[in-house]
Amino acid sequence: MGRKPDAAAKSYYSGGGGGGASSPRAARKAPRSPVFLGTALFVLGLVSLFTGHVVTDADWARIRSRWRSKQHRNYEPIDIWESKYSSMYYGCSGRSADFRSAVPENSSTGYLLIATSGGLNQQRIGITDAVVVAWILNATLVVPELDHHSFWKDDSDFSDIFDVEWFISYLSKDVTIVKRIPYEVMLSMDKLPWTMRAPRKSMPEFYMDEVLPILMRRRALQLTKFDYRLTSDLDEDLQKLRCRVNFHALKFTSSIHAMGHKLVQKLRLMNTRYVAIHLRFEPDMLAFSGCYYGGGEKERKELGEIRKRWDTLPELSAEDERSRGKCPLTPHEVGLMLRALGFGNDTLLFVASGEIYGGDETLQPLRKLFPNFYTKEKLAGDDLNPFLPFSSRLAAIDFVVCDESDVFVTNNNGNMAKVLAGRRRYMGHKRTIRPNAKKLNVLFQTRNQLGWDTFSRKVQKIQRGLMGEPDDIRPRQDDFHEFPSSCICLRKPGNISVTT
């Protein structure tokens, strides 16, 4: 997995030498396990006997591929740029034959209005779930209203960020969508649309039992603060609808798309591949986390003042939060992790971020490790000026460049990280690195006592299963937007090609 570190990486260590090569255990050939394979065959045979389900080539291929992939994860060196097993899978979100078609506007149960909440990607999740809720209710969906009042203070409308015509057209077989409630309908209504807020992660039954009766009585209803208001656990057809919305219907406007791809082309002219980092290290985000980053009393005072914005936040122990893996990695720690994994100092780095707490001083260690360091501001220059007043449009440009990267890395598990991780899995398991913050934190605390070779091997071991492989380790309570498993299918054995 590794390569020899240069002086910049080694300078953080005493006694460091050699390279970030894989451990001797990783270099050994993975032993075959006939016992495992035989047991798998026996289990599949029992399934056929007692359920009548005929074991297909796909079932057997799934067992073999999972076994091979686990051996790969535990023993083989990892290609840091791409997974050699990604070609085994593909995104699949087509409608099933018995999935109900869109209900015409004049036959629907009423008009569903949605007010989203948060930043761009939090709103994206809300929009995705809004389409599913409209389908559940047999409602006509009005193009969702974006959040103009949150911390980001962006007055962009849906059509300023997403291609609204494409959105309506692409989903026309699933849900009827209109830009606004027709004027004559508004005139005929006795009262204004009813407004309510659904509980977080509500089940479909909540919408049928609590929302539908009001919608049918009032003819129009608005759901406010619509973010994570639908459970992550839905049946397969509705999960596939989520994927059709998120990965196909939500297409950025031509101006955003053009700017994002212009930056990608500039990066590709400098190098054939690049790493994108979504770096969340804004003052408000750090204050919200309750973590401490080594800035002394000045940091504690500044972040403490910002934290007072939220009245309901509990008192947290910074040390406990870090030991639980709840603190985002610092820019320096992200750089050390990447160098330990094997990315050299000639690697082209694109950093997507907002305001970094501490500014250039905080970024300096990362720049030292990766001198080829670029942001959208540096790449675009004055071409970015039309987008500067709009935080969501800037975030959309970052999204495009990160999505097109060969490797995507995040220092947190926020909404953009989740949405992009899910999209990259759906689009072919493009390399996506999710730091194991809990274990890395322990390692970073002792890094000055370790040589570079030892540190590198430990980082590589910690990160196995979190590198964007098809069988990556999943959290106990995973999020469908990050792990869209219902929309990822295994190719037939004859169509699989494994890179060697």
Side-chain angles (χ1 to χ4, degrees):
M1 190 196 300
R3 54 181 290 170
K4 288 189 176 182
D6 58 23
K10 284 187 176 182
S11 66
Y12 290 98
Y13 296 85
S14 57
S22 300
S23 66
R25 182 185 178 193
R28 290 200 297 267
K29 185 177 180 181
R32 299 196 176 274
S33 177
V35 173
F36 170 83
L37 297 176
T39 302
L41 278 173
F42 177 72
V43 171
L44 288 176
L46 288 178
V47 170
S48 299
L49 178 64
F50 290 109
T51 69
H53 170 72
V54 178
V55 178
T56 64
D57 287 342
D59 293 325
W60 175 229
R62 189 176 294 109
I63 291 291
R64 286 183 300 178
S65 68
R66 284 178 179 171
W67 175 76
R68 281 198 300 260
S69 189
K70 286 186 183 297
Q71 300 306 305
H72 153 73
R73 188 176 73 208
N74 292 329
Y75 296 99
E76 296 179 6
I78 294 176
D79 183 336
I80 56 177
W81 288 99
E82 60 181 344
S83 169
K84 72 178 188 178
Y85 293 102
S86 62
S87 62
M88 289 182 173
Y89 302 87
Y90 66 98
C92 53
S93 59
R95 296 164 47 88
S96 65
D98 57 352
F99 189 69
R100 192 190 70 229
S101 296
V103 178
E105 182 179 354
N106 58 5
S107 304
S108 71
T109 55
Y111 293 91
L112 180 65
L113 299 98
I114 296 291
T116 60
S117 177
L120 173 66
N121 293 285
Q122 188 172 333
Q123 293 184 86
R124 187 185 187 109
I125 291 170
I127 294 165
T128 299
D129 288 348
V131 174
V132 178
V133 169
W135 186 94
I136 291 170
L137 297 173
N138 275 338
T140 296
L141 178 67
V142 180
V143 170
E145 175 188 332
L146 300 191
D147 186 352
H148 298 161
H149 307 292
S150 66
F151 173 81
W152 289 269
K153 297 291 188 295
D154 187 330
D155 61 1
S156 296
D157 291 324
F158 188 101
S159 59
D160 295 319
I161 296 175
F162 300 108
D163 185 333
V164 66
E165 302 296 341
W166 172 262
F167 178 73
I168 294 172
S169 173
Y170 189 89
L171 294 170
S172 60
K173 292 182 179 179
D174 297 308
V175 172
T176 298
I177 305 174
V178 297
K179 293 181 181 178
R180 61 190 64 84
I181 299 177
Y183 180 68
E184 58 273 16
V185 174
M186 290 293 292
L187 286 178
S188 68
M189 291 169 56
D190 296 332
K191 299 178 181 179
L192 292 174
W194 184 264
T195 298
M196 65 183 295
R197 185 181 303 176
R200 289 179 69 83
K201 300 184 179 179
S202 294
M203 300 297 289
E205 289 77 15
F206 168 83
Y207 291 97
M208 294 297 292
D209 297 341
E210 304 295 332
V211 178
L212 182 59
I214 301 174
L215 175 63
M216 295 182 71
R217 188 168 65 248
R218 298 293 290 263
R219 298 184 64 191
L221 180 147
Q222 183 183 52
L223 295 173
T224 62
K225 291 281 185 181
F226 201 79
D227 59 334
Y228 291 100
R229 303 293 165 174
L230 182 62
T231 178
S232 187
D233 186 19
L234 296 172
D235 67 47
E236 186 169 293
D237 277 331
L238 292 181
Q239 299 289 44
K240 286 182 180 291
L241 176 55
R242 265 178 165 155
C243 293
R244 290 197 292 279
V245 180
N246 197 1
F247 304 139
H248 298 283
L250 285 174
K251 187 166 68 172
F252 292 125
T253 61
S254 58
S255 60
I256 289 173
H257 190 270
M259 176 55 67
H261 278 271
K262 183 177 181 179
L263 304 190
V264 171
Q265 289 172 356
K266 286 187 175 184
L267 289 166
R268 297 287 184 204
L269 287 174
M270 290 184 272
N271 202 318
T272 56
R273 53 192 186 184
Y274 67 94
V275 174
I277 302 176
H278 181 224
L279 197 59
R280 289 299 309 276
F281 214 70
E282 301 93 338
D284 64 297
M285 187 262 195
L286 300 186
F288 188 88
S289 73
C291 299
Y292 173 66
Y293 297 93
E297 191 57 32
K298 179 176 180 290
E299 176 190 315
R300 289 192 175 94
K301 184 176 179 180
E302 290 175 347
L303 297 186
E305 284 299 313
I306 297 173
R307 191 171 171 81
K308 291 178 182 178
R309 295 176 187 169
W310 298 280
D311 297 333
T312 58
L313 291 183
E315 288 294 325
L316 297 174
S317 163
E319 187 175 334
D320 288 347
E321 291 302 289
R322 185 165 291 277
S323 66
R324 292 170 57 215
K326 298 298 183 180
C327 299
L329 301 188
T330 67
H332 183 194
E333 290 168 342
V334 173
L336 290 173
M337 178 190 71
L338 290 176
R339 293 303 303 275
L341 288 172
F343 293 96
N345 74 331
D346 58 343
T347 300
L348 187 59
L349 217 63
F350 175 81
V351 176
S353 69
E355 175 193 358
I356 297 294
Y357 180 68
D360 287 340
E361 185 179 349
T362 300
L363 289 173
Q364 188 55 37
L366 178 60
R367 291 181 187 273
K368 187 174 182 180
L369 289 166
F370 293 96
N372 296 321
F373 180 109
Y374 292 89
T375 62
K376 59 183 175 295
E377 291 81 6
K378 185 175 180 179
L379 289 168
D382 292 340
D383 290 343
L384 202 61
N385 288 345
F387 301 93
L388 291 178
F390 308 102
S391 60
S392 289
R393 299 182 210 184
L394 291 172
I397 293 169
D398 276 335
F399 189 101
V400 172
V401 183
C402 289
D403 185 37
E404 291 291 328
S405 67
D406 300 272
V407 178
F408 174 64
V409 187
T410 178
N411 72 325
N412 76 104
N413 201 32
N415 293 304
M416 180 168 170
K418 289 179 180 178
V419 171
L420 264 173
R423 179 179 177 84
R424 290 170 70 86
R425 286 187 175 92
Y426 181 83
M427 296 297 179
H429 286 91
K430 295 162 72 175
R431 179 65 77 209
T432 303
I433 300 175
R434 186 163 43 109
N436 187 332
K438 184 175 182 178
K439 291 185 178 180
L440 286 173
N441 170 64
V442 176
L443 183 61
F444 286 136
Q445 289 179 348
T446 62
R447 72 179 189 266
N448 291 326
Q449 288 91 53
L450 302 174
W452 178 258
D453 288 355
T454 302
F455 175 78
S456 180
R457 285 196 298 271
K458 286 180 179 292
V459 169
Q460 292 172 29
K461 183 178 180 181
I462 286 171
Q463 284 302 121
R464 284 187 178 273
L466 298 166
M467 297 287 289
E469 292 292 332
D471 71 335
D472 256 5
I473 296 170
R474 295 170 62 154
R476 290 179 182 176
Q477 294 183 332
D478 59 12
D479 187 294
F480 181 78
H481 299 285
E482 184 178 5
F483 293 94
S485 53
S486 299
C487 305
I488 297 175
C489 297
L490 183 69
R491 296 188 188 279
K492 294 181 179 179
N495 296 329
I496 295 174
S497 62
V498 179
T499 306
T500 56

